[in-house]
């Protein structure tokens, strides 16, 4: 079957580690696993890190990449794939598709049957394929970890990426005041069109916020601390600009701030997110939809940091 996979690791040039070609059909490891015909999948920065060799040692190669997918299961149901698999050998207690189990950038993928959720009729396969990683992470950051129901204002750092763009859309849909930063003026214009107040990085906000969504790391973390209201939650799920920021602990204890880490979300949270999208008419921001044979172009755009929103692979083209 067709697949896009990591055949080696290259920290300096991750795209050089990407291979597009034939791989064996997936073999369910147990009776309670299902095979899904993938109709659409979407890219995440996790895929670039995998090509660099982060979290993907040589003894697991070749590894089909991709965490996210929507498709049709072996009973003919339209489904969304939840990409988290219980894994007692991993210190997190779980792994994500394409870490220990083959991923979704293929004609077919096998997953535990309990990881399949019926796709709402109002969502296309492309829409649904954007949700299980970036959008689920953003949803958990805002709700479970950020406790946004206890606040009215949000700062999203580095808007334009998949998680940050999702956080803006979800927070606006929940009726909150949303501020978002981006170095790119065109991206700020697009974020403003989504209902957020868009600002250059480091800008002074009109108010201190209750929740900060932080995926950038070192370049923005001091601004996140300074922008947080007393008792605010700074929720971290990435560090694209560096993972070792300087943290002024005086501000942390004086303002009684919470710095919270998170990654992905639960199966129930994904169900809740799907319900929210269906009820509120929220749809993921898709930067570009590619035919599967154009997967190299999709990876190049992701690696260059040019995308605003999600990059989707249409497996039916």
């Amino acid at each position: 079957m067709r697949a896009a996979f990591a055949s080696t690791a290259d920290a300096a040039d991750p795209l050089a580690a990407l291979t597009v070609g034939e791989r064996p059909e997936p073999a369910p490891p147990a009776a309670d696993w299902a095979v899904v015909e993938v109709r659409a999948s979407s890219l995440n920065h996790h895929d670039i890190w995998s090509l660099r060799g982060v979290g993907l040692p040589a003894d697991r190669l070749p590894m089909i990449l991709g965490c996210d997918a929507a498709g049709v299961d072996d009973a003919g149901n339209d489904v969304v794939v939840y990409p988290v698999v219980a894994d007692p050998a991993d210190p997190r207690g779980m792994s994500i598709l394409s870490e220990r189990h083959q991923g979704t950038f293929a004609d077919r993928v096998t997953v535990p049957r309990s990881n399949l959720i019926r796709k709402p009729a109002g969502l296309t396969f492309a829409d649904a394929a954007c949700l299980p990683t970036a959008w689920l992470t953003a949803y958990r950051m805002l709700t479970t970890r950020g406790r946004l129901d206890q606040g009215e204002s949000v700062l999203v750092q580095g808007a334009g990426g998949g998680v940050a763009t999702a956080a803006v859309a979800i927070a606006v849909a929940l009726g909150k005041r949303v501020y978002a930063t981006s170095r790119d003026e065109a991206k700020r214009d697009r974020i403003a069109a989504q209902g957020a107040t868009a600002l250059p990085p480091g800008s002074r906000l009109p108010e201190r916020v209750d929740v900060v969504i932080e995926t950038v790391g070192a370049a923005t973390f001091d601004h996140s601390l300074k922008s947080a209201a007393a008792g605010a939650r700074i929720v971290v799920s990435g560090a694209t600009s560096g993972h070792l920021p300087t943290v002024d602990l005086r501000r942390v204890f004086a303002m009684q701030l919470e710095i919270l880490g998170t990654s992905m979300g639960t199966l129930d949270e994904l169900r809740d997110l799907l319900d929210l999208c269906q009820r509120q008419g929220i749809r993921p921001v898709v930067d570009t939809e590619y035919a599967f044979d154009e997967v190299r172009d999709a990876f190049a755009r992701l690696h260059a940091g040019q995308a605003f929103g999600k990059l989707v692979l249409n497996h039916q083209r």
Side-chain angles (χ1 to χ4, degrees), residues 36 75 99-100 112 118 133 144 208 215-216 306 310:
V36 175
E99 293 179 346
R100 292 183 186 270
R118 286 288 188 111
T133 296
T144 307
R208 295 183 188 274
T215 62
V216 178
Q306 297 171 335
K310 295 293 291 177

Side-chain angles (χ1 to χ4, degrees), residues 123-270:
L123 294 178
T124 67
F125 285 114
D127 288 337
C130 294
L131 300 179
T133 296
W135 274 68
L136 177 58
T137 298
Y139 181 77
R140 179 176 173 83
M141 292 176 81
L142 289 166
T143 57
T144 307
R145 300 294 273 164
R147 307 192 303 279
L148 188 55
D149 59 325
Q150 300 175 18
E152 295 299 327
S153 54
V154 183
L155 168 62
V156 180
Q157 298 283 22
V163 173
T165 304
V168 169
I170 294 168
V172 168
L174 293 174
K176 306 302 180 179
R177 295 187 298 277
V178 183
Y179 306 95
T181 66
S182 176
R183 292 175 299 173
D184 188 301
E185 185 177 357
K187 289 182 179 180
R188 291 199 297 272
D189 289 342
R190 295 187 67 177
I191 282 292
Q194 286 190 289
T197 298
L199 301 162
S203 297
R204 186 181 182 89
L205 305 187
E207 61 178 319
R208 295 183 188 274
V209 298
D210 302 305
V211 179
V212 180
I213 300 301
E214 177 62 81
T215 62
V216 178
T220 58
F221 207 82
D222 187 60
H223 181 243
S224 293
L225 290 168
K226 291 176 179 177
S227 301
R233 283 75 65 195
I234 300 172
V235 190
V236 184
S237 71
T240 55
S241 70
H243 64 283
L244 296 174
T246 298
V247 177
D248 185 344
L249 292 177
R250 297 168 299 179
R251 189 175 294 274
V252 174
F253 63 72
M255 297 294 284
Q256 300 189 60
L257 304 179
E258 297 179 48
I259 300 174
L260 304 165
T262 196
S263 178
M264 301 297 291
T266 68
L267 185 63
D268 284 341
E269 286 167 338
L270 180 55

Side-chain angles (χ1 to χ4, degrees), residues 5-8 23 56 58-64 102:
F5 54 96
S7 53
T8 184
R23 293 296 300 153
L56 187 59
D59 61 357
R60 296 183 200 158
L61 299 175
M63 176 64 75
I64 298 173
Q102 299 293 325

Side-chain angles (χ1 to χ4, degrees), residues 5-19 44-58 61 63 65 98 239-241 299-305:
F5 54 96
S7 53
T8 184
D10 193 323
D13 183 10
L15 299 187
L18 175 66
T19 300
N44 295 284
H45 280 284
H46 182 277
D47 303 309
I48 297 292
W49 288 113
S50 295
L51 291 170
R52 294 185 189 277
V54 177
L56 187 59
L61 299 175
M63 176 64 75
L65 299 169
S98 76
T240 55
S241 70
F299 267 88
R301 185 166 179 80
L302 178 67
H303 185 235

Side-chain angles (χ1 to χ4, degrees), residues 35 39 71-79 113 118 125:
V35 174
R39 296 288 185 261
V72 180
D73 70 10
D74 46 17
N77 302 306
D78 292 350
V79 295
R113 196 172 299 277
R118 286 288 188 111
F125 285 114

